[in-house]
Amino acid sequence: MSRLIRLVLMVSALVVLPLAGCGSGDGAKAEASGELRVLDATVEVPPNPTTASIRMVVDNGTGTDDELVGVASSVADTVSVHRSETDAKGLATMVPVKALKIPARSKVTFEPGGLHVMLEGLSGSLKAGTTIKLKLTFAHAGSRTATVRVVPFGSTTSDSSAHDMEH
Amino acid sequence: MTAAPTPPWSRRRVLGFGAAGAAALALGACSLDRGSSPDTDAEPEPKGDWSGTLLDPPFPKPDFTFTDVDGKPYPIVEKTKGKLTILFYGYTNCPDVCPITLNTLARAKDGIGSGPGSNPLVLFVGVDVDRDTPEVLKTYLNAIDPEFVGLTPTGKTKAEKEAMIVDSLAVIKQAAPEIGEPDEDGNYIVGHPSAVTVYTADDVAHRLYPSNVRQSQWVKDLPRLDKGTYT
């Protein structure tokens, strides 16, 4: 391989890997259900009782590109969509996502180390086995209210459920 | 928004680090399979299915006395002498990378069970000086693994504490944390080094790991490191 092509590939990898690998939004084609649905919403009991993260899958089974433009819940003072990233200096940080594209007939996965709905200023402690509500607002599909299962710490972010980009 | 400036310590102190090193670390942070050094082409590194990046020369330990969750002095070099030691910097309001990384390490200990690598000393340094108090760190780590050691920087002033964090990170060639601007609710985002440094019995670190190493990979690497091998 020529050095130029190698260089281009290396630079591409630098740019793409953090987005594709550490981020989420796998863009996998969903079966066309004809609906926009929120699936598998969970929140782990957090080690810091004031701050938690919701994981879920947004399945846009419609033929229309959509955008997640708002999240809200009565259980926390601040609710926002964030994406974890590692910057050029090697700092792990989070980037607020104001509008998240949900392409037609695609699933976007909120997964560990990537997209999450951050709950800050939780009003009470989350208890495993209970549920909370999350309202999501989409630009086209309107709003959906997801029932979010509260699960034990570590139960959805351990090992293979998490860091899929190792290989 | 308030006019309060971002604490300048992060920016001011990050200047000493080379861009090439930072790029290499960023690469290592998300891509586990390549060990790159700043001046050479990335070659597929490990034989033997190692994760992380080989450090040559190895990193020393930050020779600083932090404060543990009970308020007692914790001189890192003295306390960790001869022990397999994992050093990670994060913050307790971190909802994603920090708890996942720490939980993965805790579950790896379970996975190894007994023998070499099963009892690493895990040090978690809270970089968010205002919110990561010893009490908060104690609650946080007790929920993950009560054996993990929570450390806060020692100092009379916030500036002294932040300086200890930055100076200790410089020893392992990591960028200074960055504290974001608070929103109207007072929440703010913190950028913290994503790297996990693992020290072996010879009191240096031969490998630097990204934060997203799998439990199964730690289960492979930690026993080998504990036995003194790293390539």
Side-chain angles (χ1 to χ4, degrees):
Chain A
M1 210 184 303
S2 79
R3 290 192 70 85
L4 178 62
I5 292 173
R6 261 174 99 169
L7 181 66
V8 169
L9 287 176
M10 283 175 66
V11 171
S12 306
L14 272 173
V15 173
V16 171
L17 275 176
L19 296 175
C22 293
S24 67
D26 54 13
K29 289 296 174 195
E31 290 173 34
S33 61
E35 298 171 42
L36 188 147
R37 300 178 299 175
V38 179
L39 309 172
D40 303 330
T42 58
V43 59
E44 290 187 356
V45 174
N48 178 340
T50 66
T51 307
S53 290
I54 296 173
R55 326 277 177 189
M56 63 190 171
V57 176
V58 179
D59 175 6
N60 184 359
T62 76
T64 307
D65 292 347
D66 213 328
E67 277 188 325
L68 175 60
V69 293
V71 283
S73 179
S74 60
V75 304
D77 294 336
T78 309
V79 185
S80 52
V81 175
H82 284 211
R83 188 196 304 273
S84 295
E85 293 185 357
T86 301
D87 72 13
K89 285 177 285 190
L91 294 179
T93 188
M94 295 185 298
V95 179
V97 180
K98 299 281 183 214
L100 176 68
K101 288 194 188 329
I102 317 282
R105 291 178 293 278
S106 292
K107 287 181 183 175
V108 172
T109 303
F110 286 57
E111 60 192 357
L115 286 168
H116 50 277
V117 176
M118 189 164 169
L119 305 173
E120 292 170 279
L122 281 163
S123 47
S125 60
L126 297 174
K127 292 193 171 47
T130 62
T131 61
I132 60 172
K133 298 290 186 191
L134 175 71
K135 185 181 175 188
L136 303 98
T137 305
F138 296 92
H140 292 285
S143 64
R144 299 285 184 279
T145 299
T147 299
V148 183
R149 290 186 300 121
V150 182
V151 296
F153 174 67
S155 61
T156 57
T157 55
S158 293
D159 209 46
S160 57
S161 69
H163 316 115
D164 284 331
M165 60 154 316
E166 185 187 1
H167 289 291
Chain B
M1 301 301 291
T2 64
T6 306
W9 61 283
S10 55
R11 288 167 195 222
R12 191 175 63 234
R13 287 169 189 275
V14 83
L15 294 177
F17 301 101
L25 287 171
L27 185 63
C30 267
S31 167
L32 311 193
D33 289 326
R34 61 194 74 202
S36 68
S37 58
D39 300 316
T40 59
D41 283 350
E43 294 294 336
E45 180 203 317
K47 305 133 189 153
D49 195 19
W50 287 92
S51 177
T53 305
L54 187 63
L55 299 171
D56 185 18
F59 285 167
K61 289 179 180 173
D63 189 4
F64 292 86
T65 298
F66 280 80
T67 300
D68 72 13
V69 295
D70 297 315
K72 298 198 181 89
Y74 194 95
I76 288 184
V77 168
E78 185 184 314
K79 290 278 192 180
T80 65
K81 192 170 176 52
K83 295 176 186 166
L84 180 67
T85 303
I86 300 172
L87 178 61
F88 181 55
Y89 288 72
Y91 68 112
T92 59
N93 280 68
C94 167
D96 191 42
V97 171
C98 309
I100 293 170
T101 301
L102 292 168
N103 182 56
T104 302
L105 288 167
R107 300 289 77 78
K109 280 174 59 186
D110 296 345
I112 296 165
S114 60
S118 62
N119 194 27
L121 192 49
V122 176
L123 311 184
F124 179 69
V125 179
V127 304
D128 182 1
V129 168
D130 286 336
R131 294 186 295 192
D132 295 340
T133 63
E135 297 74 26
V136 169
L137 265 175
K138 191 173 196 170
T139 303
Y140 184 81
L141 291 175
N142 274 341
I144 300 172
D145 186 330
E147 292 181 351
F148 287 1
V149 176
L151 298 179
T152 57
T154 309
K156 288 191 183 69
T157 64
K158 185 175 173 182
E160 280 181 23
K161 292 177 181 178
E162 290 180 337
M164 182 175 285
I165 288 173
V166 173
D167 293 346
S168 65
L169 282 166
V171 174
I172 51 174
K173 297 185 164 44
Q174 299 298 305
E178 292 181 356
I179 309 292
E181 196 76 37
D183 65 17
E184 57 268 29
D185 294 319
N187 301 310
Y188 52 91
I189 291 171
V190 174
H192 61 95
S194 63
V196 178
T197 312
V198 183
Y199 292 93
T200 38
D202 51 358
D203 292 317
V204 292
H206 296 281
R207 300 197 79 86
L208 186 70
Y209 288 82
S211 56
N212 60 352
V213 173
R214 285 186 186 193
Q215 177 198 349
S216 54
Q217 185 70 46
W218 285 124
V219 168
K220 283 182 205 162
D221 285 14
L222 290 176
R224 291 186 289 182
L225 290 167
D226 208 9
K227 286 184 269 191
T229 55
Y230 47 86
T231 54

